[in-house]
């Protein structure tokens, strides 16, 4: 089994690749290794978000922070499907949890995150039955993706288990479970790995 990490070479992506023994591919990788059976797509770190008022968000903000990340994720899903369609596989997106609750100064960014989550559910519903490709999402704290934006998540409920070095280890363990070939009946799910900050169903 071969796993690929798709996304910008951030500290999070590098740590996930090391923990999974996976290939770290760039966000714009044209083709994946032919023996790929699992793909992890890290979204939310490129481009880096910045705060802006909802009333003053520009067309450029919308294009760069909403449209481009959604299009890039769609292409990553398509490339993942194309290399695994004949034999099945697993795709897991790793995304900031703040898209699930919103943030008043991150409207273009959080809109993209929720749009990507809906895209993932649609792909999961289609591919699980037709191609044996199972798609899920892991939602994790924003600072893992954008360390300078910790203040933008200040309105979230305090985590029951504080962020520490073991948080990324928990993400890796969850990825290992979701990428396993026997994890076939967890489909289109969003699993929160945030220490209990959101506790959404």
């Amino acid at each position: 089994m071969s796993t690929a990490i798709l996304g910008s070479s951030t500290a999070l992506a590098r740590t996930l690749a090391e923990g999974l023994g996976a290939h770290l591919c760039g966000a714009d990788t044209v083709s994946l290794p032919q023996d790929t059976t699992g793909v992890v797509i890290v979204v939310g770190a490129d481009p880096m978000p910045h705060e802006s008022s909802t009333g003053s968000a520009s067309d450029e903000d919308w294009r760069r922070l909403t449209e481009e990340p959604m299009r890039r994720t769609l292409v990553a899903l398509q490339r993942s499907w194309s290399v695994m369609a004949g034999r099945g596989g697993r795709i897991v997106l790793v995304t900031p949890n703040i898209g699930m609750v919103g943030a008043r100064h991150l409207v273009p960014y959080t809109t993209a995150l929720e749009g990507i989550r809906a895209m993932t559910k649609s792909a999961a519903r289609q591919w699980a039955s037709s191609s044996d490709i199972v798609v899920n999402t892991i939602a994790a704290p924003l600072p893992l993706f954008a360390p300078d934006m910790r203040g933008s998540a200040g309105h979230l409920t305090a985590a029951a288990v504080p962020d520490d070095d073991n948080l990324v280890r928990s993400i890796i363990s969850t990825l290992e479970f979701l990428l396993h070939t026997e994890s076939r009946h967890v489909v289109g799910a969003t699993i929160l790995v945030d220490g209990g900050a959101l506790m959404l169903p």
Side-chain angles (χ1 to χ4, degrees):
M1 183 176 79
S2 175
T3 300
I5 308 285
L6 287 179
S8 299
S9 184
T10 61
L12 176 59
R14 291 193 299 271
T15 302
L16 296 180
E18 181 179 351
L20 293 169
H23 305 286
L24 178 57
C25 306
D28 298 319
T29 297
V30 174
S31 61
L32 296 170
Q34 287 302 307
D35 63 344
T36 299
T37 55
V39 178
V40 177
I41 303 172
V42 181
V43 302
D46 182 24
M48 281 291 179
H50 67 268
E51 292 190 344
S52 63
S53 165
T54 302
S56 64
S58 66
D59 289 345
E60 172 60 20
D61 286 339
W62 191 260
R63 182 191 62 78
R64 189 176 68 86
L65 294 170
T66 308
E67 294 176 2
E68 287 186 3
M70 292 181 70
R71 176 61 184 168
R72 191 179 303 120
T73 303
L74 175 61
V75 171
L77 285 167
Q78 291 170 333
R79 287 174 178 160
S80 302
W81 176 85
S82 67
V83 79
M84 296 188 291
R87 61 178 176 276
R90 304 290 178 263
I91 302 171
V92 185
L93 277 75
V94 181
T95 182
N97 63 356
I98 200 164
M100 300 174 70
V101 293
R104 62 179 185 164
H105 293 308
L106 295 176
V107 171
Y109 180 70
T110 55
T111 299
L113 295 178
E114 275 299 88
I116 288 168
R117 204 161 68 91
M119 184 191 307
T120 302
K121 289 176 178 289
S122 296
R125 187 167 294 280
Q126 178 181 353
W127 293 343
S129 59
S130 65
S131 308
D132 193 26
I133 294 175
V134 176
V135 188
N136 288 292
T137 298
I138 291 174
L142 174 64
L144 287 177
F145 304 82
D148 294 340
M149 302 301 292
R150 183 176 297 273
S152 297
H155 62 290
L156 300 186
T157 304
V161 179
D163 291 357
D164 58 25
D165 293 340
N166 289 325
L167 176 60
V168 175
R169 181 64 245 177
S170 294
I171 295 172
I172 292 169
S173 297
T174 307
L175 283 168
E176 289 173 337
F177 166 72
L178 293 173
L179 290 167
H180 198 282
T181 55
E182 294 183 3
S183 298
R184 190 174 180 221
H185 291 84
V186 182
V187 182
T190 299
I191 298 179
L192 287 160
V193 184
D194 61 4
L198 297 191
M199 294 191 183
L200 296 176

